[in-house]
Amino acid sequence: MNLTFKKIAGLLMGAMAAFTISTNVSASKTKIADVSQYQGNINWSKASKDLKFAIIRVQHGDTGDADFRIDTKKDINANGAYKYKVPFGQYGYAEFSSVADAKKEAKDFYKRSSSKTRFYVLDNEHRKGKGSEQSYVNAWLSTMRKLTNKPIVYYSYQSYVHTYKINYSKFDGSWIANYSQKPDVSTDLWQYTSKGRLSGITGNVDLSKIVDSKTVNSWLKQSSADQAKPTYFTSVPSSKQVTTTRNIYQYNDVNFKSRVSKLAAGKKLTVKAVSKSDHGAYRFELSNGNYITANKAYVSN
């Protein structure tokens, strides 16, 4: 074998090896896991080698529920997934007991979620109210539609859907759990086990399989526009009070050129007038003379 041939053969073998490694790495990213604080400290560097995408818990119930808790790993997991380029959605375990409670829970869930999430999930498996469960689901969804343009997915168990006759057709897709066999209700993503294994996690983890790839892939598309088209308060509420629903800033000018300070979500404020910026955005003028947004996605009356 002459030297030139040896060099060519070596280059070809190297290229083939690199292609094989690349293909195997790509092929290994097939698992879909939902995770929470119960998975402990996830090694996202290792998990990223297995994951096509992840679904991360944000909260369990909401303020007022006896077992309410914000997932202690929600930010760590979101940041870890993002750092290692794992696309992710986020879910909130619902315990709403009325239409008003469902609306509040949606707003709080949105506020607590990461801006980097690709989609949002309603985890609806806990019946608590005495009214129509469907009306609670509808109220949650309609509230989220006002807050985001990202996909919104319905999750539950097959048995729960049957028992309460939930219609989730207005969601952007469904994720249904049934561990014995493929769900007999409409589903795009099937949670098939709670005893899966994943690199980077010690112990069991829920795993899911794609049923409708076109729909599920649409959840993962990156969007530069999370916010829906803004809707504004155009007049001062009769109470002259508004409450921030997300962290915002107050400014000393209507065009928001000079920032004064940060206002935490849940802050009650007294307003005295509504003004418009040079670009046509409505602002509330506060009793202290500063300005905040009048965007309904950030403040409520």
Side-chain angles (χ1 to χ4, degrees), residues 176-188:
I176 303 297
N178 194 53
Y179 300 152
S180 58
Q181 59 186 8
K182 184 178 175 181
D184 62 9
V185 296
S186 175
T187 187
D188 303 301

Side-chain angles (χ1 to χ4, degrees), residues 250-260 277 283 289-292:
Q250 60 177 324
Y251 299 78
N252 64 16
D253 64 292
V254 73
N255 290 314
F256 286 4
K257 292 183 178 179
S258 181
R259 182 183 291 177
V260 177
S277 72
R283 317 293 199 196
N290 292 329
Y291 294 85
I292 62 168

Side-chain angles (χ1 to χ4, degrees), residues 20-214:
T20 301
I21 292 170
S22 174
T23 302
N24 288 340
V25 169
S26 176
S28 68
K29 290 178 175 288
T30 58
K31 293 188 176 181
I32 300 163
D34 54 283
V35 298
S36 70
Q37 66 190 55
Y38 298 117
Q39 273 67 55
N41 295 317
I42 298 173
N43 184 326
W44 282 97
S45 176
K46 291 182 178 180
S48 66
K49 305 297 191 299
D50 286 350
L51 286 169
K52 179 178 175 65
F53 66 91
I55 309 175
I56 298 168
R57 191 178 75 158
V58 171
Q59 63 189 43
H60 181 111
D62 200 6
T63 51
D65 296 320
D67 57 350
F68 164 63
R69 54 192 173 275
I70 296 173
D71 196 289
T72 58
K73 300 290 185 181
K74 73 178 183 68
D75 294 331
I76 293 172
N77 284 335
N79 292 336
Y82 184 75
K83 178 180 179 180
Y84 289 99
K85 296 180 172 54
V86 178
F88 67 91
Q90 291 189 294
Y91 75 94
Y93 182 100
E95 289 193 336
F96 37 58
S97 56
S98 68
V99 167
D101 193 26
K103 290 180 179 179
K104 179 181 182 300
E105 195 160 319
K107 291 176 183 176
D108 290 347
F109 167 61
Y110 177 75
K111 177 181 66 180
R112 294 171 182 137
S113 295
S114 168
S115 62
K116 298 178 179 66
T117 189
R118 302 288 180 89
F119 59 93
Y120 300 92
V121 181
L122 168 61
D123 182 349
N124 178 222
E125 56 181 288
H126 183 101
R127 172 68 174 163
K128 191 174 180 183
K130 295 181 180 180
S132 164
E133 187 71 8
Q134 184 70 58
S135 68
Y136 306 158
V137 170
N138 293 346
W140 188 96
L141 177 61
S142 64
T143 302
M144 288 294 292
R145 289 289 188 212
K146 295 174 183 177
L147 297 172
T148 182
N149 279 331
K150 291 182 180 179
I152 304 172
V153 179
Y154 179 83
Y155 169 89
S156 193
Y157 285 88
Q158 172 185 292
S159 57
Y160 194 91
V161 171
H162 282 306
T163 299
Y164 298 106
K165 298 178 174 57
I166 304 298
N167 180 345
Y168 45 88
S169 61
K170 292 184 179 180
F171 284 74
D172 299 306
S174 55
W175 173 30
I176 303 297
N178 194 53
Y179 300 152
S180 58
Q181 59 186 8
K182 184 178 175 181
D184 62 9
V185 296
S186 175
T187 187
D188 303 301
L189 184 66
W190 168 27
Q191 187 185 79
Y192 68 94
T193 184
S194 60
K195 297 180 180 179
R197 291 289 175 165
L198 183 72
S199 298
I201 292 178
T202 302
N204 295 331
V205 63
D206 297 339
L207 293 179
S208 296
K209 295 179 180 179
I210 294 175
V211 176
D212 186 326
S213 58
K214 182 179 179 180

